Amino acid sequence: MKSLKDQFILNNGVGIPCIGFGTWQTHAGRVAVVSVLEALETGYRHIDTAAAYDNEESIGEAISKSGINRKNIFVTSKLWNSNRGYDTTLRAFDESLRKLGLDYLDLYLIHWPATKDDWRNQNNDTWRAFEKLYNEKRIRSIGVSNFKPHHLKPLMEKAEIMPAVNQIEFHPGLMQTETVEFCKKNNILIEAWSPLGSGRILNNPDLIKIAEKYNKSVAQLCIKWCLQNNVLPLPKSITIERIHENAKVFDFIISSQDMDRINMMPHIGSSGLDPDKINF
Ligand code: NDP
């Protein structure tokens, strides 16, 4: 990858710009509009939002204000947990599109797997709605988030269309190897949420030492480390300088020794959110 516009290719042939701009905890209104506009002006062409972030309207406003052709921006949103199921998914999708002011999404994700009671059927019913929307060309690609192999397998057994993406927590100190290996084997792109560990790993002395060798910040090191692991990072920032900084990752390469050192780091910086244990 040589620029923000370079793409990974999903299993259905759709191209997805290699760094997504994260927007979780980005407050709706001025903060969201200004930061997303700044990201688009900097060259980001991939925005990650979700119904649960409550900022879809502001993100739509920024996209519209940017004047960039809709076709050149890749927009992801996610179905929230309270809307799982066939009819509820269809309605929630319409609501997300309405808020974003768009007539299609590039990627729609099941935000978290159902894991309790009738969880297999709930996930399968939701997925059937995703497939309908995909077949109607209202979404260019469909995927999941926070699914482990034991959630993915029953969904894939019943699916007509395979998930193109699994968005999971992934950063130095948390590689979720089993899920990543399963997805790579099944041609499902991994997207990294919290690629900077939500800021928790930026003061790690080992990462600081490695980043200094390349004259880069730890944030830049983490983003590049994702890309070199063939994982698509979704760094979030509402700070202009950091939005620029996080895009400057194409002028250095992490050596294979340093990649190994980071890959072997002990468990750090995790959110502690386990899809089998969450209560939301
Ligand atoms: P990140 O790992 O991207 O870290 C964001 C934090 O780091 C913010 O506090 C930000 O501060 C700070 N930061 C950003 N860049 C820098 C920098 N260069 N130097 C120092 N600090 C920096 O965290 P997120 O947890 O937000 O994850 C990224 C995205 O992943 C989300 O925004 C969302 O789109 C997605 N996500 C998806 C989830 C899912 O369940 N599917 C769950 C969580 C996240 P500031 O903004 O103040 O500049």
Side-chain angles (χ1 to χ4, degrees):
M1 301 295 172
K2 297 202 170 60
S3 89
L4 286 172
K5 294 180 181 81
D6 283 355
Q7 301 183 333
F8 288 97
I9 304 298
L10 300 176
N11 60 17
N12 63 351
V14 166
I16 178 169
C18 65
I19 296 181
F21 186 67
T23 65
W24 177 45
Q25 292 177 318
T26 297
H27 293 301
R30 198 174 165 276
V31 173
V33 174
V34 170
S35 59
V36 172
L37 255 177
E38 187 64 35
L40 291 169
E41 272 161 25
T42 306
Y44 293 80
R45 286 294 177 272
H46 171 176
I47 313 290
D48 184 82
T49 183
Y53 302 169
D54 215 12
N55 58 17
E56 289 173 306
E57 274 167 343
S58 304
I59 282 160
E61 187 182 330
I63 290 171
S64 151
K65 277 197 170 141
S66 76
I68 298 168
N69 190 320
R70 164 71 184 95
K71 282 196 191 126
N72 296 327
I73 305 179
F74 191 101
V75 184
T76 302
S77 193
K78 312 186 191 87
L79 174 87
W80 187 240
N81 304 349
S82 51
N83 287 319
R84 293 181 188 122
Y86 186 79
D87 292 327
T88 35
T89 294
L90 296 178
R91 280 199 293 275
F93 174 78
D94 283 342
E95 186 63 4
S96 277
L97 268 196
R98 187 190 65 73
K99 287 186 171 167
L100 283 159
L102 301 177
D103 53 13
Y104 69 91
L105 275 186
D106 295 281
L107 176 64
Y108 198 39
L109 303 176
I110 303 182
H111 207 144
W112 292 86
T115 56
K116 298 191 181 74
D117 304 327
D118 196 21
W119 62 273
R120 284 186 188 80
N121 284 333
Q122 278 188 52
N123 289 333
N124 289 335
D125 287 349
T126 305
W127 194 250
R128 269 197 307 121
F130 272 49
E131 290 177 329
K132 173 182 160 67
L133 294 163
Y134 178 85
N135 286 329
E136 290 173 353
K137 302 202 184 321
R138 301 184 70 205
I139 320 177
R140 294 176 68 227
S141 45
I142 51 179
V144 297
S145 176
N146 299 304
F147 275 53
K148 294 185 183 178
H150 62 271
H151 308 122
L152 270 164
K153 280 177 199 160
L155 183 136
M156 290 165 69
E157 270 164 26
K158 290 269 163 73
E160 279 172 25
I161 297 160
M162 288 302 135
V165 164
N166 188 10
Q167 183 179 121
I168 60 171
E169 184 174 3
F170 183 91
H171 50 73
L174 183 68
M175 291 190 72
Q176 304 215 48
T177 310
E178 195 195 337
T179 301
V180 171
E181 290 307 316
F182 178 86
C183 289
K184 287 196 171 163
K185 221 178 276 163
N186 287 283
N187 209 4
I188 299 170
L189 179 73
I190 295 286
E191 291 185 346
W193 64 254
S194 294
L196 318 178
S198 253
R200 289 182 294 270
I201 58 175
L202 298 179
N203 290 323
N204 177 275
D206 294 330
L207 291 173
I208 291 174
K209 224 183 275 166
I210 298 173
E212 277 172 355
K213 275 174 63 175
Y214 299 94
N215 265 326
K216 289 287 169 183
S217 67
V218 173
Q220 290 168 322
L221 182 77
C222 292
I223 293 165
K224 186 69 175 206
W225 170 84
C226 287
L227 290 173
Q228 288 187 217
N229 274 315
N230 286 317
V231 167
L232 189 156
L234 302 167
K236 172 263 179 186
S237 180
I238 55 165
T239 313
I240 305 253
E241 299 74 38
R242 292 172 175 175
I243 293 172
H244 297 173
E245 179 185 320
N246 295 347
K248 290 184 191 144
V249 296
F250 299 102
D251 56 355
F252 76 113
I253 293 176
I254 305 170
S255 71
S256 59
Q257 292 93 321
D258 286 334
M259 284 299 292
D260 289 345
R261 281 173 66 193
I262 304 173
N263 287 345
M264 287 184 309
M265 280 181 70
H267 188 87
I268 52 162
S270 158
S271 68
L273 295 175
D274 178 337
D276 287 311
K277 296 186 183 139
I278 57 160
N279 58 2
F280 48 81

